[in-house]
Amino acid sequence: MTNVKKLINKEVNELTRMLETLKAKIEQIPLLYPYIDKSEGIEKAEIKKLIALCEGYFSDDLSVFTERVERLAKRRVEGNLLLKSNGRFSLDNNTREFTSGHKIEIFVEDKKHDDYGWQFGRVEHSEEFSGYYFFNESGIEHHKLTTGMKAAIRES
């Protein structure tokens, strides 16, 4: 393991611990419901807002963020894409087939592309791409999956 990877793992582990503490705190906020009836004015509005934030989209967004951070610490398997007879892709050194929603990383080899290098995303399917394609999380550009394309997955 390289020094940079050790540093990344250290930071991911520290951030994960912090996020777990934050999640535990967020889960305690709904216990403030009884105080709504005991408050008035701006205090009532603030406590309602705080509870709504912790029960709503923020909590969901935090879960997605936590999952993405934790994913960086998982073991990475790199290979080349191989098109199977059933139309699905896998890595040439791994039998797991990719279907829509499967998280993968691809290497964009064309230096002229704004997204040159490794990109994080998922497999999706569309007639626009005549089958499976890489949905780039960075939003720069999506790519048709092809045999031989350098890719990687993170194992659980």
Side-chain angles (χ1 to χ4, degrees), residues 33-78:
Y33 265 110
Y35 292 94
I36 292 174
D37 293 336
K38 298 175 184 175
S39 60
E40 54 188 53
I42 190 64
E43 291 173 351
K44 188 171 198 161
E46 287 174 344
I47 200 164
K48 284 180 169 181
K49 181 67 172 178
L50 180 61
I51 291 169
L53 284 170
C54 292
E55 288 184 332
Y57 295 115
F58 174 75
S59 181
D60 294 340
D61 290 344
L62 181 62
S63 294
V64 170
F65 177 73
T66 301
E67 179 184 309
R68 288 180 176 173
V69 168
E70 290 172 343
R71 190 166 164 245
L72 293 173
K74 292 183 178 181
R75 184 175 168 270
R76 188 169 180 275
V77 177
E78 190 176 308

Side-chain angles (χ1 to χ4, degrees), residues 110-148:
D110 188 347
K111 292 182 180 182
K112 295 177 186 174
H113 277 275
D114 289 337
D115 58 353
Y116 167 76
W118 282 102
Q119 299 295 318
F120 293 88
R122 66 182 185 270
V123 172
E124 292 297 342
H125 191 279
S126 172
E127 293 307 315
E128 178 184 340
F129 288 91
S130 302
Y132 287 105
Y133 71 98
F134 175 75
F135 182 94
N136 194 341
E137 288 178 356
S138 71
I140 295 175
E141 187 175 347
H142 307 311
H143 299 272
K144 179 175 177 45
L145 295 179
T146 59
T147 295

